[in-house]
Amino acid sequence: MDWELWQKYEQYIKRFILTISDSDDDAEDILQETMQKAWRSYETLDNIAAFGKWLKRIARNCAADYYRRPDNAAFQYYINTEQLGNVTGDLVDGNLEDKMIIRDILREYIAELPNERGKALYLNIIGGYGATKISRALGLKYETVKKWLYRDKRKISELLRVHLDETGR
């Protein structure tokens, strides 16, 4: 990849990443991953005129992957805060054991979803992003993301109810 070409688009890509990331540190990490992936796959780019769009797509995917990692700090923050209510409602009291159960149920459920849908749910639940920001970040229609989030949150609530019924809680 031509270094001058990268430098031409670096700030553009960084601004884009900042619109979908929680912090400057996360944005820097995602920018680094974007550069590495672009560098490795530059030879596959057919149309140099589409470089900006191609780079933005790589950045979007890198951001979604970054926030989808179970070892990500955003996931740990989520587990240690009151944000569990946006999925669980009043089903659990929020003690550590319940949080770990919820974490495991979420991991399994998200892992079974198609890639883009799993990224959307992860970004919403773990990252705290709304449907508008997720649709922009993943390049999907707002209505599609909204529908996915609604259905998936209902399904997760059902899974939690089943688990609580099975364990007698």
PDB file of all heavy atoms in Angstrom, residues 20-56:
ATOM      1  N   ILE A  20     -18.249   6.047  15.913  1.00  0.00           N
ATOM      2  CA  ILE A  20     -18.799   4.766  16.361  1.00  0.00           C
ATOM      3  C   ILE A  20     -18.029   4.162  17.530  1.00  0.00           C
ATOM      4  O   ILE A  20     -18.323   3.056  17.950  1.00  0.00           O
ATOM      5  CB  ILE A  20     -18.857   3.746  15.196  1.00  0.00           C
ATOM      6  CG1 ILE A  20     -17.492   3.533  14.558  1.00  0.00           C
ATOM      7  CG2 ILE A  20     -19.883   4.179  14.168  1.00  0.00           C
ATOM      8  CD1 ILE A  20     -17.458   2.462  13.484  1.00  0.00           C
ATOM      9  N   SER A  21     -17.071   4.886  18.075  1.00  0.00           N
ATOM     10  CA  SER A  21     -16.309   4.341  19.198  1.00  0.00           C
ATOM     11  C   SER A  21     -16.584   5.132  20.463  1.00  0.00           C
ATOM     12  O   SER A  21     -17.064   6.259  20.411  1.00  0.00           O
ATOM     13  CB  SER A  21     -14.811   4.328  18.891  1.00  0.00           C
ATOM     14  OG  SER A  21     -14.319   5.640  18.822  1.00  0.00           O
ATOM     15  N   ASP A  22     -16.263   4.527  21.588  1.00  0.00           N
ATOM     16  CA  ASP A  22     -16.520   5.143  22.886  1.00  0.00           C
ATOM     17  C   ASP A  22     -15.419   6.082  23.337  1.00  0.00           C
ATOM     18  O   ASP A  22     -15.644   6.942  24.164  1.00  0.00           O
ATOM     19  CB  ASP A  22     -16.668   4.062  23.961  1.00  0.00           C
ATOM     20  CG  ASP A  22     -18.007   3.364  23.872  1.00  0.00           C
ATOM     21  OD1 ASP A  22     -18.948   3.960  23.328  1.00  0.00           O
ATOM     22  OD2 ASP A  22     -18.111   2.232  24.352  1.00  0.00           O
ATOM     23  N   SER A  23     -14.228   5.880  22.829  1.00  0.00           N
ATOM     24  CA  SER A  23     -13.116   6.672  23.345  1.00  0.00           C
ATOM     25  C   SER A  23     -12.040   6.856  22.281  1.00  0.00           C
ATOM     26  O   SER A  23     -12.002   6.129  21.289  1.00  0.00           O
ATOM     27  CB  SER A  23     -12.503   5.967  24.566  1.00  0.00           C
ATOM     28  OG  SER A  23     -11.816   4.790  24.165  1.00  0.00           O
ATOM     29  N   ASP A  24     -11.156   7.815  22.543  1.00  0.00           N
ATOM     30  CA  ASP A  24     -10.022   8.038  21.639  1.00  0.00           C
ATOM     31  C   ASP A  24      -9.105   6.818  21.621  1.00  0.00           C
ATOM     32  O   ASP A  24      -8.550   6.472  20.577  1.00  0.00           O
ATOM     33  CB  ASP A  24      -9.238   9.275  22.058  1.00  0.00           C
ATOM     34  CG  ASP A  24     -10.000  10.566  21.790  1.00  0.00           C
ATOM     35  OD1 ASP A  24     -10.929  10.544  20.958  1.00  0.00           O
ATOM     36  OD2 ASP A  24      -9.666  11.589  22.408  1.00  0.00           O
ATOM     37  N   ASP A  25      -8.940   6.176  22.777  1.00  0.00           N
ATOM     38  CA  ASP A  25      -8.080   4.990  22.843  1.00  0.00           C
ATOM     39  C   ASP A  25      -8.633   3.863  21.975  1.00  0.00           C
ATOM     40  O   ASP A  25      -7.885   3.205  21.238  1.00  0.00           O
ATOM     41  CB  ASP A  25      -7.930   4.505  24.285  1.00  0.00           C
ATOM     42  CG  ASP A  25      -7.094   5.448  25.138  1.00  0.00           C
ATOM     43  OD1 ASP A  25      -6.318   6.244  24.563  1.00  0.00           O
ATOM     44  OD2 ASP A  25      -7.218   5.381  26.372  1.00  0.00           O
ATOM     45  N   ASP A  26      -9.952   3.628  22.080  1.00  0.00           N
ATOM     46  CA  ASP A  26     -10.569   2.605  21.230  1.00  0.00           C
ATOM     47  C   ASP A  26     -10.412   2.970  19.754  1.00  0.00           C
ATOM     48  O   ASP A  26     -10.099   2.112  18.926  1.00  0.00           O
ATOM     49  CB  ASP A  26     -12.064   2.465  21.539  1.00  0.00           C
ATOM     50  CG  ASP A  26     -12.334   1.780  22.869  1.00  0.00           C
ATOM     51  OD1 ASP A  26     -11.370   1.311  23.514  1.00  0.00           O
ATOM     52  OD2 ASP A  26     -13.510   1.733  23.271  1.00  0.00           O
ATOM     53  N   ALA A  27     -10.620   4.233  19.441  1.00  0.00           N
ATOM     54  CA  ALA A  27     -10.495   4.681  18.050  1.00  0.00           C
ATOM     55  C   ALA A  27      -9.086   4.442  17.525  1.00  0.00           C
ATOM     56  O   ALA A  27      -8.914   4.006  16.380  1.00  0.00           O
ATOM     57  CB  ALA A  27     -10.873   6.159  17.935  1.00  0.00           C
ATOM     58  N   GLU A  28      -8.084   4.714  18.346  1.00  0.00           N
ATOM     59  CA  GLU A  28      -6.692   4.482  17.932  1.00  0.00           C
ATOM     60  C   GLU A  28      -6.442   2.998  17.681  1.00  0.00           C
ATOM     61  O   GLU A  28      -5.786   2.629  16.697  1.00  0.00           O
ATOM     62  CB  GLU A  28      -5.714   5.012  18.986  1.00  0.00           C
ATOM     63  CG  GLU A  28      -5.571   6.508  18.987  1.00  0.00           C
ATOM     64  CD  GLU A  28      -4.958   7.059  17.698  1.00  0.00           C
ATOM     65  OE1 GLU A  28      -4.109   6.391  17.070  1.00  0.00           O
ATOM     66  OE2 GLU A  28      -5.347   8.173  17.308  1.00  0.00           O
ATOM     67  N   ASP A  29      -6.959   2.147  18.574  1.00  0.00           N
ATOM     68  CA  ASP A  29      -6.795   0.695  18.392  1.00  0.00           C
ATOM     69  C   ASP A  29      -7.456   0.232  17.099  1.00  0.00           C
ATOM     70  O   ASP A  29      -6.879  -0.544  16.333  1.00  0.00           O
ATOM     71  CB  ASP A  29      -7.401  -0.066  19.576  1.00  0.00           C
ATOM     72  CG  ASP A  29      -6.617   0.102  20.860  1.00  0.00           C
ATOM     73  OD1 ASP A  29      -5.449   0.566  20.807  1.00  0.00           O
ATOM     74  OD2 ASP A  29      -7.159  -0.241  21.935  1.00  0.00           O
ATOM     75  N   ILE A  30      -8.658   0.723  16.863  1.00  0.00           N
ATOM     76  CA  ILE A  30      -9.395   0.331  15.656  1.00  0.00           C
ATOM     77  C   ILE A  30      -8.705   0.869  14.408  1.00  0.00           C
ATOM     78  O   ILE A  30      -8.613   0.177  13.391  1.00  0.00           O
ATOM     79  CB  ILE A  30     -10.860   0.810  15.747  1.00  0.00           C
ATOM     80  CG1 ILE A  30     -11.569   0.092  16.899  1.00  0.00           C
ATOM     81  CG2 ILE A  30     -11.588   0.597  14.426  1.00  0.00           C
ATOM     82  CD1 ILE A  30     -12.884   0.715  17.307  1.00  0.00           C
ATOM     83  N   LEU A  31      -8.180   2.080  14.496  1.00  0.00           N
ATOM     84  CA  LEU A  31      -7.445   2.664  13.371  1.00  0.00           C
ATOM     85  C   LEU A  31      -6.213   1.819  13.035  1.00  0.00           C
ATOM     86  O   LEU A  31      -5.936   1.550  11.860  1.00  0.00           O
ATOM     87  CB  LEU A  31      -7.039   4.106  13.681  1.00  0.00           C
ATOM     88  CG  LEU A  31      -6.347   4.868  12.553  1.00  0.00           C
ATOM     89  CD1 LEU A  31      -7.302   5.072  11.378  1.00  0.00           C
ATOM     90  CD2 LEU A  31      -5.865   6.218  13.072  1.00  0.00           C
ATOM     91  N   GLN A  32      -5.509   1.373  14.069  1.00  0.00           N
ATOM     92  CA  GLN A  32      -4.326   0.517  13.852  1.00  0.00           C
ATOM     93  C   GLN A  32      -4.717  -0.788  13.167  1.00  0.00           C
ATOM     94  O   GLN A  32      -4.053  -1.230  12.228  1.00  0.00           O
ATOM     95  CB  GLN A  32      -3.642   0.214  15.182  1.00  0.00           C
ATOM     96  CG  GLN A  32      -2.817   1.341  15.725  1.00  0.00           C
ATOM     97  CD  GLN A  32      -1.646   1.652  14.813  1.00  0.00           C
ATOM     98  OE1 GLN A  32      -1.591   2.715  14.223  1.00  0.00           O
ATOM     99  NE2 GLN A  32      -0.718   0.744  14.682  1.00  0.00           N
ATOM    100  N   GLU A  33      -5.798  -1.410  13.648  1.00  0.00           N
ATOM    101  CA  GLU A  33      -6.260  -2.653  13.034  1.00  0.00           C
ATOM    102  C   GLU A  33      -6.673  -2.422  11.584  1.00  0.00           C
ATOM    103  O   GLU A  33      -6.408  -3.255  10.719  1.00  0.00           O
ATOM    104  CB  GLU A  33      -7.425  -3.235  13.831  1.00  0.00           C
ATOM    105  CG  GLU A  33      -7.003  -3.836  15.152  1.00  0.00           C
ATOM    106  CD  GLU A  33      -8.174  -4.459  15.899  1.00  0.00           C
ATOM    107  OE1 GLU A  33      -9.075  -5.019  15.241  1.00  0.00           O
ATOM    108  OE2 GLU A  33      -8.166  -4.388  17.134  1.00  0.00           O
ATOM    109  N   THR A  34      -7.314  -1.288  11.349  1.00  0.00           N
ATOM    110  CA  THR A  34      -7.737  -0.944   9.991  1.00  0.00           C
ATOM    111  C   THR A  34      -6.527  -0.829   9.072  1.00  0.00           C
ATOM    112  O   THR A  34      -6.517  -1.372   7.967  1.00  0.00           O
ATOM    113  CB  THR A  34      -8.535   0.378   9.992  1.00  0.00           C
ATOM    114  OG1 THR A  34      -9.682   0.227  10.838  1.00  0.00           O
ATOM    115  CG2 THR A  34      -8.963   0.771   8.597  1.00  0.00           C
ATOM    116  N   MET A  35      -5.508  -0.118   9.540  1.00  0.00           N
ATOM    117  CA  MET A  35      -4.311   0.060   8.725  1.00  0.00           C
ATOM    118  C   MET A  35      -3.650  -1.296   8.437  1.00  0.00           C
ATOM    119  O   MET A  35      -3.254  -1.574   7.311  1.00  0.00           O
ATOM    120  CB  MET A  35      -3.307   0.981   9.409  1.00  0.00           C
ATOM    121  CG  MET A  35      -2.105   1.271   8.527  1.00  0.00           C
ATOM    122  SD  MET A  35      -0.915   2.394   9.259  1.00  0.00           S
ATOM    123  CE  MET A  35      -0.023   1.294  10.335  1.00  0.00           C
ATOM    124  N   GLN A  36      -3.554  -2.142   9.459  1.00  0.00           N
ATOM    125  CA  GLN A  36      -2.924  -3.449   9.265  1.00  0.00           C
ATOM    126  C   GLN A  36      -3.694  -4.301   8.254  1.00  0.00           C
ATOM    127  O   GLN A  36      -3.093  -4.915   7.368  1.00  0.00           O
ATOM    128  CB  GLN A  36      -2.815  -4.183  10.604  1.00  0.00           C
ATOM    129  CG  GLN A  36      -1.805  -3.566  11.539  1.00  0.00           C
ATOM    130  CD  GLN A  36      -1.861  -4.165  12.927  1.00  0.00           C
ATOM    131  OE1 GLN A  36      -2.682  -5.034  13.209  1.00  0.00           O
ATOM    132  NE2 GLN A  36      -0.989  -3.705  13.806  1.00  0.00           N
ATOM    133  N   LYS A  37      -5.010  -4.334   8.390  1.00  0.00           N
ATOM    134  CA  LYS A  37      -5.812  -5.136   7.452  1.00  0.00           C
ATOM    135  C   LYS A  37      -5.742  -4.560   6.042  1.00  0.00           C
ATOM    136  O   LYS A  37      -5.664  -5.311   5.074  1.00  0.00           O
ATOM    137  CB  LYS A  37      -7.259  -5.229   7.930  1.00  0.00           C
ATOM    138  CG  LYS A  37      -7.410  -6.164   9.099  1.00  0.00           C
ATOM    139  CD  LYS A  37      -8.849  -6.374   9.459  1.00  0.00           C
ATOM    140  CE  LYS A  37      -8.921  -7.364  10.615  1.00  0.00           C
ATOM    141  NZ  LYS A  37     -10.275  -7.712  10.971  1.00  0.00           N
ATOM    142  N   ALA A  38      -5.778  -3.238   5.941  1.00  0.00           N
ATOM    143  CA  ALA A  38      -5.689  -2.606   4.624  1.00  0.00           C
ATOM    144  C   ALA A  38      -4.332  -2.899   3.992  1.00  0.00           C
ATOM    145  O   ALA A  38      -4.240  -3.180   2.794  1.00  0.00           O
ATOM    146  CB  ALA A  38      -5.919  -1.098   4.743  1.00  0.00           C
ATOM    147  N   TRP A  39      -3.303  -2.823   4.797  1.00  0.00           N
ATOM    148  CA  TRP A  39      -1.951  -3.072   4.299  1.00  0.00           C
ATOM    149  C   TRP A  39      -1.821  -4.495   3.757  1.00  0.00           C
ATOM    150  O   TRP A  39      -1.261  -4.723   2.693  1.00  0.00           O
ATOM    151  CB  TRP A  39      -0.942  -2.831   5.431  1.00  0.00           C
ATOM    152  CG  TRP A  39       0.445  -2.606   4.941  1.00  0.00           C
ATOM    153  CD1 TRP A  39       1.410  -3.558   4.727  1.00  0.00           C
ATOM    154  CD2 TRP A  39       1.048  -1.362   4.588  1.00  0.00           C
ATOM    155  NE1 TRP A  39       2.558  -2.986   4.278  1.00  0.00           N
ATOM    156  CE2 TRP A  39       2.365  -1.630   4.180  1.00  0.00           C
ATOM    157  CE3 TRP A  39       0.599  -0.055   4.581  1.00  0.00           C
ATOM    158  CZ2 TRP A  39       3.236  -0.629   3.774  1.00  0.00           C
ATOM    159  CZ3 TRP A  39       1.463   0.933   4.189  1.00  0.00           C
ATOM    160  CH2 TRP A  39       2.762   0.635   3.783  1.00  0.00           C
ATOM    161  N   ARG A  40      -2.387  -5.455   4.518  1.00  0.00           N
ATOM    162  CA  ARG A  40      -2.303  -6.868   4.120  1.00  0.00           C
ATOM    163  C   ARG A  40      -3.137  -7.186   2.886  1.00  0.00           C
ATOM    164  O   ARG A  40      -2.792  -8.071   2.113  1.00  0.00           O
ATOM    165  CB  ARG A  40      -2.736  -7.772   5.274  1.00  0.00           C
ATOM    166  CG  ARG A  40      -1.709  -7.901   6.368  1.00  0.00           C
ATOM    167  CD  ARG A  40      -2.047  -9.030   7.321  1.00  0.00           C
ATOM    168  NE  ARG A  40      -3.366  -8.912   7.910  1.00  0.00           N
ATOM    169  CZ  ARG A  40      -3.616  -8.396   9.103  1.00  0.00           C
ATOM    170  NH1 ARG A  40      -2.635  -7.946   9.837  1.00  0.00           N
ATOM    171  NH2 ARG A  40      -4.844  -8.345   9.558  1.00  0.00           N
ATOM    172  N   SER A  41      -4.267  -6.489   2.717  1.00  0.00           N
ATOM    173  CA  SER A  41      -5.155  -6.856   1.623  1.00  0.00           C
ATOM    174  C   SER A  41      -5.204  -5.825   0.495  1.00  0.00           C
ATOM    175  O   SER A  41      -6.072  -5.904  -0.378  1.00  0.00           O
ATOM    176  CB  SER A  41      -6.567  -7.112   2.166  1.00  0.00           C
ATOM    177  OG  SER A  41      -7.057  -5.989   2.833  1.00  0.00           O
ATOM    178  N   TYR A  42      -4.282  -4.902   0.488  1.00  0.00           N
ATOM    179  CA  TYR A  42      -4.253  -3.846  -0.527  1.00  0.00           C
ATOM    180  C   TYR A  42      -4.212  -4.410  -1.945  1.00  0.00           C
ATOM    181  O   TYR A  42      -4.826  -3.875  -2.855  1.00  0.00           O
ATOM    182  CB  TYR A  42      -3.068  -2.913  -0.280  1.00  0.00           C
ATOM    183  CG  TYR A  42      -2.952  -1.799  -1.281  1.00  0.00           C
ATOM    184  CD1 TYR A  42      -3.855  -0.743  -1.273  1.00  0.00           C
ATOM    185  CD2 TYR A  42      -1.940  -1.793  -2.239  1.00  0.00           C
ATOM    186  CE1 TYR A  42      -3.761   0.291  -2.184  1.00  0.00           C
ATOM    187  CE2 TYR A  42      -1.833  -0.768  -3.154  1.00  0.00           C
ATOM    188  CZ  TYR A  42      -2.741   0.275  -3.128  1.00  0.00           C
ATOM    189  OH  TYR A  42      -2.643   1.287  -4.023  1.00  0.00           O
ATOM    190  N   GLU A  43      -3.511  -5.494  -2.114  1.00  0.00           N
ATOM    191  CA  GLU A  43      -3.368  -6.097  -3.448  1.00  0.00           C
ATOM    192  C   GLU A  43      -4.701  -6.570  -4.019  1.00  0.00           C
ATOM    193  O   GLU A  43      -4.837  -6.737  -5.222  1.00  0.00           O
ATOM    194  CB  GLU A  43      -2.380  -7.262  -3.401  1.00  0.00           C
ATOM    195  CG  GLU A  43      -0.967  -6.864  -2.991  1.00  0.00           C
ATOM    196  CD  GLU A  43      -0.336  -5.843  -3.937  1.00  0.00           C
ATOM    197  OE1 GLU A  43      -0.514  -5.969  -5.162  1.00  0.00           O
ATOM    198  OE2 GLU A  43       0.327  -4.919  -3.434  1.00  0.00           O
ATOM    199  N   THR A  44      -5.692  -6.788  -3.142  1.00  0.00           N
ATOM    200  CA  THR A  44      -6.998  -7.261  -3.619  1.00  0.00           C
ATOM    201  C   THR A  44      -7.888  -6.134  -4.114  1.00  0.00           C
ATOM    202  O   THR A  44      -8.933  -6.388  -4.703  1.00  0.00           O
ATOM    203  CB  THR A  44      -7.751  -8.025  -2.510  1.00  0.00           C
ATOM    204  OG1 THR A  44      -8.071  -7.113  -1.448  1.00  0.00           O
ATOM    205  CG2 THR A  44      -6.926  -9.189  -1.986  1.00  0.00           C
ATOM    206  N   LEU A  45      -7.491  -4.884  -3.874  1.00  0.00           N
ATOM    207  CA  LEU A  45      -8.282  -3.734  -4.305  1.00  0.00           C
ATOM    208  C   LEU A  45      -8.162  -3.579  -5.822  1.00  0.00           C
ATOM    209  O   LEU A  45      -7.073  -3.383  -6.360  1.00  0.00           O
ATOM    210  CB  LEU A  45      -7.793  -2.459  -3.595  1.00  0.00           C
ATOM    211  CG  LEU A  45      -8.498  -1.166  -3.958  1.00  0.00           C
ATOM    212  CD1 LEU A  45      -9.976  -1.238  -3.558  1.00  0.00           C
ATOM    213  CD2 LEU A  45      -7.822   0.005  -3.265  1.00  0.00           C
ATOM    214  N   ASP A  46      -9.298  -3.673  -6.502  1.00  0.00           N
ATOM    215  CA  ASP A  46      -9.303  -3.598  -7.963  1.00  0.00           C
ATOM    216  C   ASP A  46      -9.297  -2.164  -8.479  1.00  0.00           C
ATOM    217  O   ASP A  46      -8.681  -1.865  -9.493  1.00  0.00           O
ATOM    218  CB  ASP A  46     -10.527  -4.321  -8.537  1.00  0.00           C
ATOM    219  CG  ASP A  46     -10.479  -5.810  -8.274  1.00  0.00           C
ATOM    220  OD1 ASP A  46      -9.367  -6.369  -8.190  1.00  0.00           O
ATOM    221  OD2 ASP A  46     -11.564  -6.415  -8.137  1.00  0.00           O
ATOM    222  N   ASN A  47     -10.010  -1.283  -7.793  1.00  0.00           N
ATOM    223  CA  ASN A  47     -10.204   0.076  -8.279  1.00  0.00           C
ATOM    224  C   ASN A  47      -9.633   1.063  -7.263  1.00  0.00           C
ATOM    225  O   ASN A  47     -10.232   1.290  -6.218  1.00  0.00           O
ATOM    226  CB  ASN A  47     -11.698   0.319  -8.504  1.00  0.00           C
ATOM    227  CG  ASN A  47     -12.002   1.689  -9.032  1.00  0.00           C
ATOM    228  OD1 ASN A  47     -11.111   2.486  -9.321  1.00  0.00           O
ATOM    229  ND2 ASN A  47     -13.291   1.978  -9.169  1.00  0.00           N
ATOM    230  N   ILE A  48      -8.508   1.660  -7.568  1.00  0.00           N
ATOM    231  CA  ILE A  48      -7.855   2.592  -6.646  1.00  0.00           C
ATOM    232  C   ILE A  48      -8.746   3.800  -6.348  1.00  0.00           C
ATOM    233  O   ILE A  48      -8.655   4.405  -5.280  1.00  0.00           O
ATOM    234  CB  ILE A  48      -6.467   3.034  -7.174  1.00  0.00           C
ATOM    235  CG1 ILE A  48      -5.626   3.677  -6.068  1.00  0.00           C
ATOM    236  CG2 ILE A  48      -6.598   3.971  -8.336  1.00  0.00           C
ATOM    237  CD1 ILE A  48      -5.167   2.727  -5.036  1.00  0.00           C
ATOM    238  N   ALA A  49      -9.654   4.137  -7.258  1.00  0.00           N
ATOM    239  CA  ALA A  49     -10.567   5.252  -7.039  1.00  0.00           C
ATOM    240  C   ALA A  49     -11.546   4.958  -5.896  1.00  0.00           C
ATOM    241  O   ALA A  49     -12.099   5.872  -5.298  1.00  0.00           O
ATOM    242  CB  ALA A  49     -11.334   5.564  -8.322  1.00  0.00           C
ATOM    243  N   ALA A  50     -11.751   3.682  -5.591  1.00  0.00           N
ATOM    244  CA  ALA A  50     -12.659   3.287  -4.516  1.00  0.00           C
ATOM    245  C   ALA A  50     -11.927   3.086  -3.192  1.00  0.00           C
ATOM    246  O   ALA A  50     -12.488   2.531  -2.251  1.00  0.00           O
ATOM    247  CB  ALA A  50     -13.381   2.010  -4.911  1.00  0.00           C
ATOM    248  N   PHE A  51     -10.695   3.548  -3.102  1.00  0.00           N
ATOM    249  CA  PHE A  51      -9.871   3.315  -1.914  1.00  0.00           C
ATOM    250  C   PHE A  51     -10.544   3.817  -0.629  1.00  0.00           C
ATOM    251  O   PHE A  51     -10.558   3.113   0.382  1.00  0.00           O
ATOM    252  CB  PHE A  51      -8.498   3.989  -2.066  1.00  0.00           C
ATOM    253  CG  PHE A  51      -7.574   3.741  -0.916  1.00  0.00           C
ATOM    254  CD1 PHE A  51      -6.930   2.529  -0.763  1.00  0.00           C
ATOM    255  CD2 PHE A  51      -7.356   4.733   0.037  1.00  0.00           C
ATOM    256  CE1 PHE A  51      -6.076   2.301   0.304  1.00  0.00           C
ATOM    257  CE2 PHE A  51      -6.512   4.516   1.108  1.00  0.00           C
ATOM    258  CZ  PHE A  51      -5.859   3.296   1.242  1.00  0.00           C
ATOM    259  N   GLY A  52     -11.105   5.011  -0.647  1.00  0.00           N
ATOM    260  CA  GLY A  52     -11.742   5.580   0.543  1.00  0.00           C
ATOM    261  C   GLY A  52     -12.903   4.736   1.033  1.00  0.00           C
ATOM    262  O   GLY A  52     -13.022   4.456   2.226  1.00  0.00           O
ATOM    263  N   LYS A  53     -13.775   4.328   0.111  1.00  0.00           N
ATOM    264  CA  LYS A  53     -14.916   3.482   0.478  1.00  0.00           C
ATOM    265  C   LYS A  53     -14.448   2.123   0.981  1.00  0.00           C
ATOM    266  O   LYS A  53     -14.977   1.579   1.948  1.00  0.00           O
ATOM    267  CB  LYS A  53     -15.845   3.293  -0.714  1.00  0.00           C
ATOM    268  CG  LYS A  53     -16.618   4.526  -1.070  1.00  0.00           C
ATOM    269  CD  LYS A  53     -17.538   4.257  -2.237  1.00  0.00           C
ATOM    270  CE  LYS A  53     -18.302   5.512  -2.601  1.00  0.00           C
ATOM    271  NZ  LYS A  53     -19.231   5.282  -3.693  1.00  0.00           N
ATOM    272  N   TRP A  54     -13.448   1.565   0.331  1.00  0.00           N
ATOM    273  CA  TRP A  54     -12.876   0.276   0.715  1.00  0.00           C
ATOM    274  C   TRP A  54     -12.296   0.369   2.122  1.00  0.00           C
ATOM    275  O   TRP A  54     -12.523  -0.500   2.963  1.00  0.00           O
ATOM    276  CB  TRP A  54     -11.821  -0.106  -0.323  1.00  0.00           C
ATOM    277  CG  TRP A  54     -11.050  -1.353  -0.068  1.00  0.00           C
ATOM    278  CD1 TRP A  54     -11.482  -2.636  -0.249  1.00  0.00           C
ATOM    279  CD2 TRP A  54      -9.694  -1.445   0.383  1.00  0.00           C
ATOM    280  NE1 TRP A  54     -10.482  -3.524   0.066  1.00  0.00           N
ATOM    281  CE2 TRP A  54      -9.366  -2.812   0.454  1.00  0.00           C
ATOM    282  CE3 TRP A  54      -8.733  -0.500   0.723  1.00  0.00           C
ATOM    283  CZ2 TRP A  54      -8.120  -3.261   0.863  1.00  0.00           C
ATOM    284  CZ3 TRP A  54      -7.491  -0.947   1.122  1.00  0.00           C
ATOM    285  CH2 TRP A  54      -7.185  -2.308   1.196  1.00  0.00           C
ATOM    286  N   LEU A  55     -11.574   1.428   2.386  1.00  0.00           N
ATOM    287  CA  LEU A  55     -10.952   1.634   3.693  1.00  0.00           C
ATOM    288  C   LEU A  55     -12.020   1.831   4.776  1.00  0.00           C
ATOM    289  O   LEU A  55     -11.890   1.319   5.890  1.00  0.00           O
ATOM    290  CB  LEU A  55     -10.025   2.845   3.623  1.00  0.00           C
ATOM    291  CG  LEU A  55      -8.910   2.957   4.628  1.00  0.00           C
ATOM    292  CD1 LEU A  55      -8.040   1.710   4.664  1.00  0.00           C
ATOM    293  CD2 LEU A  55      -8.051   4.182   4.301  1.00  0.00           C
ATOM    294  N   LYS A  56     -13.072   2.544   4.438  1.00  0.00           N
ATOM    295  CA  LYS A  56     -14.155   2.765   5.396  1.00  0.00           C
ATOM    296  C   LYS A  56     -14.832   1.446   5.746  1.00  0.00           C
ATOM    297  O   LYS A  56     -15.183   1.209   6.896  1.00  0.00           O
ATOM    298  CB  LYS A  56     -15.166   3.760   4.822  1.00  0.00           C
ATOM    299  CG  LYS A  56     -16.193   4.219   5.811  1.00  0.00           C
ATOM    300  CD  LYS A  56     -17.068   5.314   5.213  1.00  0.00           C
ATOM    301  CE  LYS A  56     -18.139   5.760   6.189  1.00  0.00           C
ATOM    302  NZ  LYS A  56     -18.986   6.801   5.610  1.00  0.00           N
TER     303      LYS A  56
END
